Amino acid sequence: MKQRITYLLPPGTDYDPANIHISPDSVNITDTAEAPAIEKRVTAGLSELPAELRHVLSSIHELHIRYTSRQPYLAPSPLTSRLPPGLHVFFTPLASAPETDICPLLKSLFASPTQNIKCPSTPQSFSPIPILPGSERFAHTSSHQYYTPLPKNQILAFQTFLSRTFCPGTFRGECPNEIATLSFASYIDIDFDAISHAVTLTAVWRAGIGNPAARTPAKLWGGQDGGGLEVGVLVPQTADEAEEIKLGGFLTVVGEDEYPSATMFSFPSRHHAVPQSSLDIEPSFGISFQQPTGLHPKMSITFPQHQEGEKQQEGREGFLSPPKSEGACALHAYLTLPSAVFLDRYQLSDPAVLRENGLVALRSSSGEQDLEAPEWVVERWGSAALLELSPPPPNDSADDRGEWEVSVPLHLRYLQAANMTGGSEGGRGGGEGGEGYVDLTISFPAVFWACEAEEGLKMSTNPFDRVDIGYDGLFGPRTMFYHFSPATGGSSAGGSSAGGPGVGGGGMGSGIGQGVLESVIRVPVLEPVWGGLVAWGTFGAVVGGFGWVVWGLVRGMGRGKKGGVVKKTE
């Protein structure tokens, strides 16, 4: 078992290595202005895993699980990649076992007696991932995808599994405390591939977490024979090249080093944050839904441009202009939608509709494609969509609020009534919306610039490289991503929030979803009392129509016979 722990301090920090305390099996850092961002990574071989996991993984070519918290966080460099909050699974079976079912594994990891996940079987629930022109050579593309917007406490099921597996019979101490810190993680990655025969678990905690339960010392598990522990205390530096990230600080190998060693290194990176605007505007976006949502909710993605009275500089709009002066760049939004809503790919092929909503094209759509199926018969998890957005021209002005907005037209499937739904699978609220309504949870999208990188960049040399996150496989291998941060805050019905433009959250002024990376919208459904009347009314209409047709046929036949007799008499 190999371990790596990285403490990422804010840029400009002058950290004293005397505050790095080394013991034979652990490292503890002290005297930081605030709790630093942390990445912890553990790599274990198959032989170190329980037999039940080895059996499941033996029929898998590659498996990538990505859990992202619904709580907002600032992504420190170099950990800037983003995904919509929830549980993402990317999976490829072995060629010799194409019918491998990993739904039981996902349920054992993330389902609980009170909260199930909608995954009957892999063939029924997973959707194929498309390969777009120009992305065929990308080496990190799985064949199938699954997503579910886990409830906020669902990570407890995963923690229970880890405790039961790796801390059996222990309820207090270092092992359970380490697992408990995952409650505060911003995202968790689990990776396996049949080539390395290794499982890697990576967790990231944002900076500034004050709860001591979120912090444990960097400890070597398994003793000196456990494979080693490397601890880094790093500070971002100014890179020499725009495509690179540069870090400096101190490294320590537990059990080998008595003192931390100074280090400075740089590497090309696939993921970056959008550069700060020259107008000192935070490169963020907000989400809201136009009210009333009805059967056709419309998601608004808003970007701040400039405050009233400020002038554009050099005809540019900061982060709404491409972050690279060389190479092609395009602005995108990646959405993962629950099965209750969908995008109409035929509607989004109309140039007039695209132009009206500030879109360029629907570049990719996967998942459930049946536009007429009601929600309760849909077996797949939902759908994923990659939209290219149309940024405003450099000299175009923002609206009165200093914002630029695009819209994403969505459509609602027929839903069961509130008191007929048994839970919140697929992002459907179980009857909390009131009579005639249910609440749907829709995760914030990931918004980023995708830019062509220079020839010869070896981004795989990045020790923090993150691939297999869904949308990266839709681009070529020489693509760099510049990510926007989602803004959050309180919201009113369809309005803006204090934390960012148009952020949003609860429709109809419910206040649900405030301060988290998801929107809760209230949509209409048909109550059972009316559903019965409609069913009988439909039955009556069908029978009446059938009777009318039969009567018309019989009447026509009678007239035909009468006309034939008259003709014969003449």
Side-chain angles (χ1 to χ4, degrees):
M1 180 183 294
K2 296 181 180 180
Q3 299 169 250
R4 189 186 79 187
I5 300 178
T6 307
Y7 297 90
L8 293 165
L9 304 180
T13 300
D14 186 12
Y15 191 72
D16 186 352
N19 295 317
I20 302 175
H21 306 284
I22 304 173
S23 70
D25 65 349
S26 65
V27 172
N28 196 18
I29 69 167
T30 59
D31 196 26
T32 57
E34 66 172 2
I38 302 176
E39 184 208 59
K40 293 186 178 182
R41 179 172 296 186
V42 179
T43 303
L46 282 180
S47 60
E48 300 175 87
L49 300 177
E52 58 178 318
L53 288 180
R54 292 200 304 269
H55 174 72
V56 175
L57 295 176
S58 64
S59 59
I60 293 175
H61 177 67
E62 60 176 327
L63 174 65
H64 309 281
I65 299 175
R66 308 282 183 252
Y67 165 76
T68 300
S69 171
R70 61 204 286 269
Q71 301 298 325
Y73 67 96
L74 291 177
S77 178
L79 310 175
T80 52
S81 62
R82 288 187 178 272
L83 269 172
L87 180 68
H88 306 254
V89 183
F90 307 100
F91 160 70
T92 302
L94 286 175
S96 58
E99 300 300 323
T100 298
D101 187 8
I102 65 168
C103 282
L105 173 63
L106 296 180
K107 290 183 177 181
S108 66
L109 292 177
F110 298 102
S112 67
T114 58
Q115 293 284 354
N116 198 7
I117 60 175
K118 186 179 180 180
C119 190
S121 68
T122 299
Q124 291 175 290
S125 303
F126 279 64
S127 60
I129 298 178
I131 298 179
L132 303 184
S135 64
E136 295 88 346
R137 295 188 298 111
F138 198 85
H140 302 282
T141 303
S142 301
S143 60
H144 293 81
Q145 176 181 8
Y146 174 82
Y147 168 79
T148 180
L150 286 180
K152 61 181 179 180
N153 60 347
Q154 197 77 352
I155 196 64
L156 292 175
F158 180 57
Q159 292 172 288
T160 301
F161 172 85
L162 293 178
S163 297
R164 185 176 64 249
T165 304
F166 298 102
C167 315
T170 305
F171 301 98
R172 293 184 180 179
E174 294 176 336
C175 183
N177 290 346
E178 188 70 40
I179 294 174
T181 63
L182 294 176
S183 298
F184 303 89
S186 295
Y187 68 79
I188 301 170
D189 291 351
I190 303 173
D191 296 279
F192 167 79
D193 67 85
I195 298 175
S196 67
H197 285 276
V199 175
T200 300
L201 188 148
T202 305
V204 170
W205 291 260
R206 64 175 176 84
I209 300 179
N211 194 323
R215 307 286 165 173
T216 56
K219 181 177 175 58
L220 176 62
W221 298 98
Q224 297 298 331
D225 297 330
L229 166 62
E230 182 183 58
V231 180
V233 181
L234 302 176
V235 179
Q237 310 290 324
T238 302
D240 300 325
E241 301 292 338
E243 295 85 1
E244 293 185 344
I245 289 177
K246 189 175 184 179
L247 299 173
F250 303 94
L251 296 179
T252 303
V253 178
V254 175
E256 298 181 12
D257 298 337
E258 296 182 2
Y259 303 98
S261 303
T263 184
M264 183 81 71
F265 59 100
S266 61
F267 45 85
S269 180
R270 196 183 315 274
H271 299 282
H272 298 259
V274 173
Q276 187 80 15
S277 168
S278 59
L279 300 175
D280 197 29
I281 302 174
E282 183 68 23
S284 61
F285 69 94
I287 296 295
S288 64
F289 279 83
Q290 299 179 17
Q291 300 296 326
T293 54
L295 298 176
H296 304 281
K298 180 169 280 193
M299 174 190 289
S300 297
I301 307 175
T302 52
F303 300 82
Q305 284 189 274
H306 55 79
Q307 301 300 321
E308 185 176 357
E310 290 183 323
K311 295 182 179 180
Q312 303 176 34
Q313 298 183 11
E314 299 179 2
R316 297 176 64 84
E317 287 289 344
F319 52 78
L320 288 180
S321 291
K324 284 172 59 69
S325 58
E326 299 179 359
C329 289
L331 185 61
H332 292 83
Y334 178 73
L335 295 84
T336 49
L337 301 172
S339 57
V341 293
F342 62 91
L343 280 168
D344 187 344
R345 62 186 185 276
Y346 301 107
Q347 178 189 22
L348 293 178
S349 63
D350 186 343
V353 173
L354 294 171
R355 186 167 52 251
E356 176 187 353
N357 290 281
L359 306 174
V360 175
L362 175 62
R363 294 301 183 192
S364 174
S365 178
S366 62
E368 184 56 54
Q369 300 295 323
D370 189 341
L371 307 184
E372 302 297 332
E375 195 271 342
W376 58 85
V377 304
V378 174
E379 295 180 329
R380 284 200 175 101
W381 60 269
S383 58
L386 179 69
L387 286 164
E388 183 177 344
L389 313 183
S390 177
N395 294 321
D396 191 20
S397 60
D399 61 17
D400 294 338
R401 299 171 297 170
E403 299 171 358
W404 171 68
E405 179 179 290
V406 299
S407 299
V408 181
L410 304 175
H411 303 275
L412 187 69
R413 297 188 184 277
Y414 295 113
L415 300 175
Q416 288 180 308
N419 60 358
M420 295 174 64
T421 58
S424 57
E425 292 183 358
R428 184 179 64 240
E432 297 181 359
E435 184 177 356
Y437 292 90
V438 294
D439 292 328
L440 295 181
T441 300
I442 299 179
S443 298
F444 280 23
V447 180
F448 54 86
W449 285 98
C451 299
E452 184 180 4
E454 295 182 2
E455 288 280 359
L457 285 180
K458 298 181 179 180
M459 289 181 280
S460 59
T461 61
N462 178 358
F464 303 94
D465 195 23
R466 193 182 187 207
V467 294
D468 299 295
I469 53 177
Y471 53 81
D472 57 343
L474 302 176
F475 297 88
R478 292 174 44 249
T479 302
M480 298 177 64
F481 302 96
Y482 293 83
H483 298 270
F484 289 80
S485 297
T488 60
S491 66
S492 59
S496 298
S497 75
V503 176
M508 308 294 290
S510 65
I512 303 172
Q514 295 178 4
V516 295
L517 303 180
E518 58 188 24
S519 296
V520 179
I521 60 174
R522 189 160 299 171
V523 296
V525 294
L526 191 65
E527 289 295 323
V529 60
W530 294 108
L533 294 176
V534 170
W536 281 109
T538 303
F539 176 77
V542 171
V543 172
F546 178 75
W548 173 267
V549 171
V550 172
W551 179 76
L553 291 174
V554 172
R555 182 183 180 188
M557 292 174 61
R559 289 180 175 178
K561 290 181 179 180
K562 183 177 180 180
V565 171
V566 172
K567 186 175 181 179
K568 188 174 180 180
T569 302
E570 292 176 355

